[in-house]
Coordinates of all heavy atoms in Angstrom, one line a residue:
M235 N 102.7 112.7 87.1 CA 101.5 112.8 87.7 C 100.8 111.5 87.7 O 101.0 110.6 86.8 CB 100.6 113.9 87.0 CG 99.9 113.4 85.8 SD 99.0 114.6 84.8 CE 100.4 115.1 83.8
Q236 N 99.9 111.2 88.7 CA 99.1 109.9 88.7 C 98.0 110.1 87.8 O 97.3 111.2 87.7 CB 98.6 109.8 90.2 CG 99.6 109.0 91.1 CD 100.0 107.7 90.6 OE1 101.1 107.4 90.3 NE2 99.0 106.8 90.5
L237 N 97.7 109.1 87.0 CA 96.6 109.1 86.0 C 95.7 107.9 86.2 O 96.3 106.8 86.4 CB 97.2 109.1 84.6 CG 96.1 108.9 83.5 CD1 95.1 110.1 83.4 CD2 96.8 108.7 82.1
E238 N 94.4 108.1 86.3 CA 93.4 107.1 86.2 C 92.4 107.4 85.1 O 91.9 108.5 85.1 CB 92.7 107.0 87.5 CG 93.5 106.4 88.7 CD 92.7 106.2 89.9 OE1 91.4 106.1 89.8 OE2 93.3 106.2 91.0
I239 N 92.1 106.4 84.3 CA 91.1 106.5 83.2 C 90.0 105.4 83.6 O 90.4 104.3 83.6 CB 91.6 106.3 81.9 CG1 92.7 107.3 81.5 CG2 90.5 106.4 80.8 CD1 93.4 107.2 80.2
I240 N 88.9 105.9 83.9 CA 87.8 105.1 84.4 C 86.6 105.2 83.5 O 86.2 106.3 83.2 CB 87.4 105.4 85.8 CG1 88.7 105.3 86.7 CG2 86.3 104.4 86.4 CD1 88.5 105.9 88.1
T241 N 86.0 104.1 83.2 CA 84.7 104.0 82.5 C 83.7 103.4 83.4 O 84.1 102.9 84.4 CB 84.7 103.1 81.2 OG1 84.9 101.8 81.5 CG2 85.8 103.6 80.3
P242 N 82.4 103.5 83.1 CA 81.4 102.8 84.0 C 81.6 101.4 84.2 O 81.2 100.8 85.2 CB 80.0 103.2 83.3 CG 80.3 104.4 82.5 CD 81.7 104.3 82.1
E243 N 82.3 100.7 83.2 CA 82.5 99.3 83.2 C 83.7 98.8 83.9 O 83.9 97.8 84.5 CB 82.3 98.6 81.8 CG 81.0 98.8 81.1 CD 80.8 100.1 80.5 OE1 81.8 100.8 80.2 OE2 79.6 100.6 80.3
V244 N 84.8 99.6 83.6 CA 86.2 99.1 84.1 C 87.1 100.3 84.3 O 86.9 101.4 83.7 CB 86.7 98.2 82.9 CG1 86.9 99.0 81.7 CG2 87.9 97.4 83.5
K245 N 88.1 100.0 85.1 CA 89.3 101.0 85.2 C 90.2 100.7 84.1 O 90.8 99.6 84.0 CB 90.0 100.8 86.5 CG 91.0 101.8 86.7 CD 91.9 101.7 88.0 CE 91.1 102.2 89.1 NZ 91.9 102.2 90.3
V246 N 90.3 101.6 83.1 CA 91.1 101.3 81.9 C 92.5 101.4 82.1 O 93.3 100.5 81.6 CB 90.6 102.4 80.8 CG1 91.6 102.1 79.6 CG2 89.1 102.2 80.4
F247 N 92.9 102.4 82.9 CA 94.4 102.6 83.1 C 94.6 103.3 84.5 O 93.8 104.1 84.9 CB 95.0 103.5 82.1 CG 96.4 103.7 82.2 CD1 97.4 102.8 81.9 CD2 96.9 104.9 82.8 CE1 98.8 103.1 82.1 CE2 98.2 105.2 83.0 CZ 99.2 104.3 82.7
A248 N 95.7 102.9 85.1 CA 96.1 103.6 86.4 C 97.7 103.5 86.4 O 98.2 102.5 86.3 CB 95.6 103.0 87.6
G249 N 98.3 104.6 86.5 CA 99.7 104.7 86.5 C 100.3 106.1 86.4 O 99.6 107.1 86.5
E250 N 101.6 106.1 86.2 CA 102.4 107.4 86.3 C 102.5 107.9 84.8 O 102.9 107.2 84.0 CB 103.7 107.2 86.9 CG 104.5 108.5 87.2 CD 103.8 109.3 88.4 OE1 103.2 108.7 89.2 OE2 104.2 110.4 88.4
A251 N 102.2 109.2 84.6 CA 102.3 109.8 83.3 C 103.0 111.1 83.4 O 103.0 111.8 84.4 CB 100.9 110.1 82.7
E252 N 103.8 111.4 82.3 CA 104.6 112.7 82.3 C 103.8 113.8 81.6 O 103.9 115.0 81.9 CB 105.9 112.5 81.6 CG 106.7 111.5 82.3 CD 108.2 111.6 82.0 OE1 108.5 112.4 81.1 OE2 109.0 111.0 82.7
A253 N 102.9 113.4 80.7 CA 102.0 114.4 79.9 C 100.8 113.6 79.4 O 100.9 112.4 79.1 CB 102.8 114.9 78.7
V254 N 99.6 114.3 79.4 CA 98.4 113.7 78.9 C 97.8 114.7 78.0 O 97.5 115.9 78.4 CB 97.5 113.2 80.0 CG1 96.2 112.6 79.5 CG2 98.2 112.4 81.0
Q255 N 97.4 114.3 76.7 CA 96.7 115.1 75.8 C 95.3 114.7 75.7 O 94.9 113.4 75.6 CB 97.4 115.0 74.4 CG 96.7 115.9 73.4 CD 97.3 115.8 72.0 OE1 97.2 114.7 71.4 NE2 98.1 116.8 71.6
L256 N 94.4 115.6 75.9 CA 92.9 115.3 76.0 C 92.1 116.0 75.0 O 92.4 117.1 74.6 CB 92.4 115.7 77.5 CG 93.1 115.0 78.6 CD1 93.1 115.8 79.8 CD2 92.5 113.6 78.8
P257 N 90.9 115.4 74.6 CA 90.1 116.0 73.6 C 89.1 116.9 74.3 O 87.9 116.5 74.6 CB 89.5 114.8 72.8 CG 89.4 113.7 73.9 CD 90.6 114.0 74.7
G258 N 89.3 118.1 74.6 CA 88.4 119.0 75.2 C 87.3 119.5 74.3 O 87.4 119.3 73.0
L259 N 86.2 120.0 74.8 CA 85.1 120.5 73.9 C 85.6 121.6 72.9 O 85.1 121.7 71.8 CB 84.0 121.0 74.8 CG 83.3 120.0 75.7 CD1 82.2 120.7 76.5 CD2 82.7 118.9 74.8
D260 N 86.6 122.4 73.3 CA 87.1 123.5 72.5 C 88.4 123.1 71.7 O 89.0 123.9 71.1 CB 87.4 124.8 73.3 CG 86.1 125.3 73.8 OD1 85.0 125.2 73.1 OD2 86.1 126.0 74.9
G261 N 88.7 121.8 71.8 CA 89.9 121.3 71.1 C 90.8 120.6 72.0 O 90.6 120.4 73.3
L262 N 91.9 120.1 71.5 CA 92.9 119.3 72.2 C 93.6 120.2 73.2 O 93.9 121.4 72.9 CB 94.0 118.7 71.3 CG 93.4 117.6 70.4 CD1 94.6 117.2 69.4 CD2 93.0 116.4 71.1
F263 N 93.9 119.7 74.4 CA 94.8 120.4 75.4 C 95.6 119.3 76.1 O 95.3 118.2 76.1 CB 94.0 121.2 76.4 CG 93.1 120.4 77.3 CD1 93.5 120.2 78.6 CD2 91.9 120.0 77.0 CE1 92.8 119.5 79.5 CE2 91.0 119.3 77.8 CZ 91.5 119.0 79.1
Q264 N 96.8 119.8 76.7 CA 97.7 118.9 77.3 C 97.9 119.4 78.7 O 98.0 120.5 79.0 CB 99.0 118.9 76.6 CG 99.9 117.9 77.1 CD 101.2 117.8 76.1 OE1 101.6 118.8 75.5 NE2 101.8 116.7 76.1
V265 N 98.1 118.4 79.6 CA 98.4 118.7 81.0 C 99.8 118.0 81.3 O 100.1 116.9 80.8 CB 97.3 118.3 82.1 CG1 96.1 119.1 81.9 CG2 97.1 116.8 82.0
L266 N 100.6 118.6 82.1 CA 101.9 118.2 82.4 C 102.1 118.0 84.0 O 101.2 118.5 84.7 CB 103.0 119.0 82.0 CG 103.0 119.4 80.5 CD1 104.0 120.5 80.1 CD2 103.4 118.2 79.7
N267 N 103.2 117.4 84.5 CA 103.4 117.4 85.9 C 103.4 118.8 86.4 O 103.9 119.8 85.8 CB 104.8 116.8 86.1 CG 104.7 115.3 86.2 OD1 103.8 114.6 86.6 ND2 105.8 114.7 85.6
G268 N 102.8 119.0 87.6 CA 102.7 120.3 88.2 C 101.8 121.3 87.6 O 101.7 122.4 88.0
H269 N 100.8 120.8 86.7 CA 99.8 121.7 86.1 C 98.9 122.2 87.2 O 98.6 121.6 88.2 CB 99.1 120.9 85.1 CG 98.3 121.7 84.1 ND1 97.1 122.3 84.4 CD2 98.5 122.0 82.8 CE1 96.6 122.9 83.4 NE2 97.5 122.8 82.4
A270 N 98.4 123.4 86.9 CA 97.4 124.0 87.9 C 96.1 123.1 87.8 O 95.8 122.5 86.8 CB 97.0 125.4 87.4
P271 N 95.3 123.1 88.9 CA 94.1 122.4 89.0 C 93.1 122.7 87.8 O 93.1 124.0 87.5 CB 93.4 122.7 90.3 CG 94.7 123.2 91.2 CD 95.6 123.8 90.2
I272 N 92.4 121.8 87.3 CA 91.6 122.0 86.2 C 90.5 121.0 86.1 O 90.7 119.8 86.5 CB 92.3 121.9 84.8 CG1 91.4 122.3 83.7 CG2 93.0 120.6 84.6 CD1 92.2 122.5 82.3
I273 N 89.3 121.4 85.7 CA 88.2 120.5 85.4 C 87.7 120.8 84.0 O 87.5 121.9 83.7 CB 87.1 120.6 86.4 CG1 87.5 120.3 87.9 CG2 85.8 119.8 86.0 CD1 86.5 120.5 88.8
S274 N 87.5 119.8 83.2 CA 87.1 120.0 81.8 C 86.2 119.0 81.3 O 86.5 117.7 81.6 CB 88.4 120.1 80.9 OG 88.0 120.2 79.5
A275 N 85.2 119.3 80.5 CA 84.4 118.3 79.8 C 85.2 117.9 78.6 O 85.9 118.6 78.0 CB 83.1 119.0 79.4
L276 N 85.0 116.6 78.2 CA 85.7 116.0 77.1 C 84.7 115.6 76.1 O 83.6 115.1 76.3 CB 86.5 114.8 77.6 CG 87.5 115.1 78.7 CD1 88.2 113.7 79.1 CD2 88.6 116.0 78.3
K277 N 85.1 115.6 74.8 CA 84.4 115.2 73.6 C 85.0 113.8 73.2 O 86.0 113.4 73.7 CB 84.3 116.2 72.5 CG 85.6 116.5 71.9 CD 85.4 117.5 70.8 CE 86.8 117.7 70.1 NZ 86.5 118.7 69.0
E278 N 84.3 113.3 72.1 CA 84.8 112.0 71.5 C 86.2 112.2 71.0 O 86.4 113.3 70.3 CB 83.8 111.6 70.6 CG 84.2 110.2 69.9 CD 83.2 109.7 69.0 OE1 82.0 110.2 68.9 OE2 83.4 108.7 68.4
G279 N 87.1 111.4 71.2 CA 88.4 111.5 70.7 C 89.4 110.6 71.3 O 89.0 109.6 72.0
V280 N 90.7 110.9 71.3 CA 91.7 110.1 71.7 C 92.5 110.7 72.9 O 92.8 111.9 72.7 CB 92.8 109.7 70.6 CG1 93.9 108.9 71.2 CG2 92.0 108.9 69.5
V281 N 92.7 110.1 74.0 CA 93.6 110.5 75.0 C 95.0 110.0 74.8 O 95.1 108.7 74.7 CB 93.0 110.0 76.4 CG1 94.0 110.5 77.5 CG2 91.6 110.5 76.6
K282 N 96.0 110.8 74.6 CA 97.3 110.4 74.3 C 98.1 110.5 75.6 O 98.0 111.6 76.2 CB 97.9 111.2 73.2 CG 99.4 110.8 73.0 CD 100.0 111.8 71.9 CE 101.5 111.6 71.8 NZ 102.1 112.5 71.0
I283 N 98.7 109.5 76.0 CA 99.5 109.4 77.3 C 101.0 109.2 77.1 O 101.3 108.2 76.5 CB 98.9 108.4 78.2 CG1 97.4 108.6 78.4 CG2 99.6 108.3 79.6 CD1 96.6 107.3 78.6
D284 N 101.7 110.1 77.6 CA 103.2 110.0 77.6 C 103.5 109.4 78.9 O 103.5 110.2 80.0 CB 104.0 111.3 77.3 CG 103.7 111.8 75.9 OD1 103.3 111.0 75.0 OD2 103.9 113.0 75.7
L285 N 104.0 108.2 79.0 CA 104.2 107.5 80.3 C 105.6 107.8 80.9 O 106.5 108.2 80.1 CB 104.1 106.0 80.2 CG 102.7 105.5 79.7 CD1 102.8 104.0 79.3 CD2 101.8 105.7 80.8
A286 N 105.8 107.6 82.1 CA 107.1 107.9 82.8 C 108.0 106.7 82.5 O 109.2 106.8 82.4 CB 106.8 108.0 84.3
T287 N 107.4 105.4 82.2 CA 108.2 104.3 81.9 C 107.6 103.5 80.7 O 106.5 103.8 80.3 CB 108.3 103.3 83.1 OG1 107.0 102.9 83.5 CG2 109.0 104.0 84.3
T288 N 108.3 102.6 80.2 CA 107.8 101.8 79.0 C 106.6 101.0 79.5 O 106.5 100.5 80.6 CB 108.9 100.8 78.6 OG1 110.1 101.5 78.3 CG2 108.4 100.0 77.4
F289 N 105.6 100.9 78.6 CA 104.3 100.3 78.8 C 104.4 98.8 78.6 O 104.9 98.5 77.5 CB 103.2 100.9 78.0 CG 101.9 100.2 78.3 CD1 101.1 100.5 79.4 CD2 101.3 99.4 77.4 CE1 99.9 100.0 79.7 CE2 100.1 98.8 77.6 CZ 99.3 99.1 78.8
E290 N 104.1 98.0 79.5 CA 104.1 96.6 79.3 C 102.7 96.0 79.3 O 101.9 96.3 80.2 CB 104.9 95.9 80.5 CG 106.3 96.3 80.5 CD 107.2 95.8 79.3 OE1 106.8 94.8 78.8 OE2 108.1 96.5 79.0
V291 N 102.3 95.2 78.4 CA 101.0 94.6 78.2 C 101.0 93.4 79.1 O 101.8 92.5 79.1 CB 100.7 94.2 76.8 CG1 99.4 93.5 76.7 CG2 100.7 95.4 75.9
T292 N 99.9 93.3 79.9 CA 99.7 92.0 80.7 C 98.2 91.5 80.5 O 97.5 92.1 79.7 CB 99.8 92.4 82.2 OG1 98.7 93.3 82.6 CG2 101.1 93.1 82.6
E293 N 97.9 90.4 81.1 CA 96.6 89.9 80.9 C 95.5 90.9 81.5 O 94.3 90.7 81.2 CB 96.4 88.5 81.5 CG 96.4 88.5 83.0 CD 97.8 88.0 83.6 OE1 98.7 87.7 82.9 OE2 97.8 87.9 84.9
K294 N 95.9 91.7 82.4 CA 94.9 92.7 82.9 C 94.8 94.0 82.1 O 94.0 94.8 82.4 CB 95.3 93.1 84.4 CG 95.2 91.9 85.3 CD 95.7 92.5 86.7 CE 95.5 91.3 87.7 NZ 95.9 91.7 89.0
T295 N 95.6 94.2 81.0 CA 95.6 95.3 80.2 C 94.3 95.4 79.5 O 93.8 94.4 78.9 CB 96.7 95.3 79.2 OG1 98.0 95.3 79.9 CG2 96.7 96.6 78.3
S296 N 93.6 96.6 79.5 CA 92.3 96.8 78.9 C 92.5 96.8 77.4 O 93.5 97.2 76.8 CB 91.8 98.2 79.3 OG 90.6 98.6 78.5
D297 N 91.5 96.3 76.7 CA 91.5 96.2 75.2 C 91.3 97.6 74.6 O 91.6 97.8 73.5 CB 90.3 95.4 74.7 CG 90.4 93.9 75.1 OD1 91.5 93.5 75.3 OD2 89.4 93.2 75.1
L298 N 91.0 98.6 75.5 CA 90.8 100.0 75.0 C 92.2 100.7 74.8 O 92.3 101.7 74.2 CB 90.0 100.8 76.0 CG 88.5 100.3 76.2 CD1 87.8 101.0 77.3 CD2 87.8 100.3 74.8
I299 N 93.3 100.1 75.4 CA 94.6 100.7 75.4 C 95.3 100.3 74.1 O 95.4 99.2 73.7 CB 95.5 100.4 76.5 CG1 94.8 100.9 77.8 CG2 96.9 100.9 76.3 CD1 95.5 100.5 79.0
E300 N 95.8 101.3 73.4 CA 96.5 101.1 72.1 C 98.0 101.6 72.2 O 98.2 102.7 72.6 CB 95.9 101.8 70.9 CG 96.6 101.6 69.6 CD 96.0 102.5 68.5 OE1 94.7 102.7 68.5 OE2 96.7 103.0 67.6
K301 N 99.0 100.7 72.1 CA 100.4 101.1 72.2 C 100.7 101.8 70.9 O 100.3 101.5 69.8 CB 101.2 99.8 72.3 CG 101.2 99.2 73.7 CD 102.0 98.0 73.8 CE 103.5 98.4 73.7 NZ 104.4 97.3 73.9
D302 N 101.6 102.8 71.1 CA 102.2 103.5 69.9 C 103.2 102.6 69.3 O 104.0 101.9 69.9 CB 102.9 104.8 70.4 CG 103.3 105.7 69.2 OD1 102.6 106.5 68.8 OD2 104.5 105.5 68.8
A303 N 103.2 102.6 67.9 CA 104.1 101.7 67.1 C 105.5 102.0 67.3 O 106.3 101.2 67.1 CB 103.6 101.7 65.6
K304 N 105.8 103.4 67.5 CA 107.2 103.8 67.4 C 107.8 104.1 68.8 O 109.0 104.1 68.9 CB 107.3 105.1 66.5 CG 107.0 104.8 65.1 CD 107.1 106.0 64.3 CE 106.7 105.8 62.8 NZ 106.7 107.0 62.0
D305 N 107.0 104.4 69.8 CA 107.5 104.8 71.1 C 106.7 103.9 72.2 O 105.5 104.1 72.4 CB 107.2 106.3 71.3 CG 107.9 106.8 72.5 OD1 108.2 106.0 73.5 OD2 108.1 108.0 72.6
A306 N 107.5 103.1 72.9 CA 107.0 102.2 73.9 C 106.4 103.0 75.2 O 105.8 102.4 76.0 CB 107.9 101.2 74.3
K307 N 106.8 104.3 75.2 CA 106.3 105.1 76.4 C 105.0 105.8 76.0 O 104.5 106.6 76.9 CB 107.3 106.1 76.8 CG 108.5 105.5 77.5 CD 109.4 106.6 78.0 CE 110.5 106.0 78.9 NZ 111.4 107.1 79.5
I308 N 104.4 105.6 74.9 CA 103.2 106.3 74.5 C 102.0 105.3 74.3 O 102.3 104.4 73.6 CB 103.4 107.2 73.2 CG1 104.4 108.3 73.5 CG2 102.0 107.8 72.7 CD1 104.7 109.2 72.3
I309 N 100.9 105.6 74.9 CA 99.7 104.8 74.7 C 98.6 105.7 74.4 O 98.6 107.0 74.6 CB 99.3 103.9 75.9 CG1 99.1 104.7 77.1 CG2 100.4 102.8 76.1 CD1 98.6 103.9 78.4
R310 N 97.5 105.2 73.8 CA 96.3 106.0 73.4 C 95.0 105.2 73.8 O 95.1 104.0 73.8 CB 96.3 106.2 71.9 CG 97.4 107.2 71.4 CD 97.3 107.3 69.9 NE 98.2 108.3 69.4 CZ 99.6 108.2 69.4 NH1 100.1 107.0 69.6 NH2 100.4 109.0 68.9
V311 N 94.1 105.9 74.3 CA 92.8 105.4 74.7 C 91.7 106.2 74.0 O 91.6 107.5 74.2 CB 92.6 105.5 76.2 CG1 91.2 105.0 76.6 CG2 93.7 104.7 77.0
T312 N 90.9 105.5 73.2 CA 89.8 106.2 72.5 C 88.5 106.3 73.5 O 88.1 105.3 74.1 CB 89.3 105.5 71.2 OG1 90.5 105.4 70.4 CG2 88.3 106.2 70.6
I313 N 88.0 107.6 73.6 CA 86.8 107.8 74.5 C 85.7 108.3 73.7 O 86.0 108.9 72.6 CB 87.2 108.6 75.7 CG1 87.6 110.0 75.2 CG2 88.3 108.1 76.5 CD1 87.8 111.1 76.4
K314 N 84.5 108.3 74.2 CA 83.4 108.8 73.6 C 82.9 110.2 74.2 O 81.8 110.8 73.8 CB 82.2 107.8 73.6 CG 82.5 106.6 72.8 CD 81.3 105.6 72.9 CE 81.7 104.3 72.2 NZ 80.8 103.2 72.5
G315 N 83.6 110.6 75.3 CA 83.3 111.8 75.9 C 83.6 111.6 77.4 O 84.0 110.5 77.8
G316 N 83.3 112.6 78.2 CA 83.6 112.4 79.7 C 84.0 113.7 80.3 O 83.8 114.8 79.9
V317 N 84.6 113.6 81.5 CA 85.1 114.7 82.3 C 86.5 114.3 82.8 O 86.8 113.2 83.2 CB 84.2 114.9 83.5 CG1 84.7 116.1 84.3 CG2 82.8 115.2 83.0
A318 N 87.4 115.4 82.9 CA 88.7 115.2 83.4 C 88.9 116.2 84.6 O 88.5 117.3 84.5 CB 89.8 115.4 82.4
E319 N 89.5 115.7 85.6 CA 89.8 116.6 86.8 C 91.2 116.4 87.2 O 91.7 115.2 87.4 CB 88.9 116.3 88.0 CG 89.2 117.1 89.2 CD 88.4 116.7 90.4 OE1 87.9 115.6 90.5 OE2 88.3 117.6 91.4
L320 N 92.0 117.5 87.4 CA 93.4 117.4 87.8 C 93.5 118.2 89.1 O 93.2 119.5 89.1 CB 94.3 117.9 86.8 CG 95.8 118.1 87.2 CD1 96.4 116.7 87.3 CD2 96.5 118.9 86.1
T321 N 93.9 117.6 90.2 CA 94.2 118.2 91.5 C 95.3 117.6 92.1 O 95.5 116.3 92.0 CB 92.9 118.3 92.4 OG1 92.6 116.9 92.6 CG2 91.8 119.0 91.9
N322 N 96.2 118.3 92.7 CA 97.3 117.7 93.5 C 98.1 116.7 92.6 O 98.5 115.7 93.1 CB 96.9 117.1 94.8 CG 96.3 118.2 95.7 OD1 96.6 119.3 95.8 ND2 95.2 117.7 96.4
N323 N 98.4 117.0 91.4 CA 99.1 116.2 90.4 C 98.5 114.9 90.2 O 99.2 113.9 90.0 CB 100.6 116.1 91.0 CG 101.5 116.3 89.7 OD1 101.2 117.0 88.8 ND2 102.7 115.7 89.9
K324 N 97.2 114.8 90.4 CA 96.5 113.5 90.1 C 95.3 113.8 89.1 O 94.6 114.6 89.4 CB 95.9 112.9 91.4 CG 95.2 111.6 91.1 CD 94.8 110.9 92.3 CE 94.1 109.6 92.0 NZ 93.7 108.8 93.1
L325 N 95.4 113.2 88.0 CA 94.4 113.4 86.9 C 93.5 112.2 86.8 O 93.9 111.1 86.7 CB 95.1 113.6 85.5 CG 94.2 113.7 84.3 CD1 93.4 114.9 84.4 CD2 95.1 113.7 83.0
I326 N 92.2 112.4 86.9 CA 91.2 111.4 86.9 C 90.4 111.7 85.7 O 89.8 112.8 85.5 CB 90.3 111.4 88.1 CG1 91.2 111.0 89.3 CG2 89.2 110.3 88.0 CD1 90.4 111.0 90.6
V327 N 90.2 110.8 84.7 CA 89.5 110.9 83.5 C 88.2 109.9 83.7 O 88.4 108.7 83.8 CB 90.2 110.6 82.3 CG1 89.3 110.6 81.1 CG2 91.4 111.5 82.1
L328 N 87.0 110.5 83.8 CA 85.8 109.7 83.8 C 85.3 109.7 82.4 O 84.8 110.7 81.9 CB 84.8 110.3 84.8 CG 85.3 110.4 86.3 CD1 84.3 111.1 87.1 CD2 85.7 109.1 86.8
A329 N 85.4 108.5 81.8 CA 85.1 108.5 80.3 C 84.0 107.6 80.0 O 83.7 106.7 80.7 CB 86.4 108.0 79.6
E330 N 83.4 107.8 78.8 CA 82.4 107.0 78.3 C 83.0 106.0 77.4 O 84.0 106.3 76.6 CB 81.3 107.8 77.6 CG 80.5 108.7 78.5 CD 79.6 109.5 77.7 OE1 78.9 109.0 76.9 OE2 79.4 110.8 78.1

């Protein structure tokens, strides 16, 4: 699925993900490729992203992205809250 994580200041991440774990108001939940459409409010926490390919750091990489120490296909982004919308296999996270 296509994933975009956007804050008011910057686009944190845009790319292809196989699974995304999000901190919903009622607890953690995960969306996968082909998931039914969903809109959810998010609380403060960590968005865990299982990427389709290995993550490479460049000069454009946001400081908010943390690579997993053991798996190069997993990254994490800490958010203070926000909203997630998944439609047509595209997940947009509007985060604080």
Side-chain angles (χ1 to χ4, degrees):
M235 83 187 88
Q236 276 299 115
L237 170 64
E238 287 186 23
I239 300 176
I240 304 167
T241 68
E243 295 83 25
V244 67
K245 183 183 285 191
V246 176
F247 178 82
E250 192 71 23
E252 297 202 354
V254 181
Q255 185 181 64
L256 300 152
L259 293 179
D260 291 330
L262 293 173
F263 68 97
Q264 185 173 32
V265 295
L266 304 169
N267 278 324
H269 195 284
I272 186 172
I273 296 175
S274 178
L276 304 174
K277 66 180 181 180
E278 185 173 353
V280 176
V281 177
K282 179 184 172 194
I283 305 151
D284 294 341
L285 299 169
T287 60
T288 302
F289 183 74
E290 298 294 330
V291 176
T292 68
E293 70 255 2
K294 294 182 180 181
T295 300
S296 171
D297 294 339
L298 300 174
I299 296 176
E300 178 185 326
K301 286 179 64 173
D302 188 87
K304 296 180 182 177
D305 190 339
K307 288 187 172 184
I308 295 176
I309 60 173
R310 291 176 175 80
V311 178
T312 301
I313 63 171
K314 295 178 183 168
V317 176
E319 177 185 22
L320 175 67
T321 55
N322 298 323
N323 224 28
K324 182 173 183 178
L325 177 61
I326 298 174
V327 177
L328 302 175
E330 295 178 40

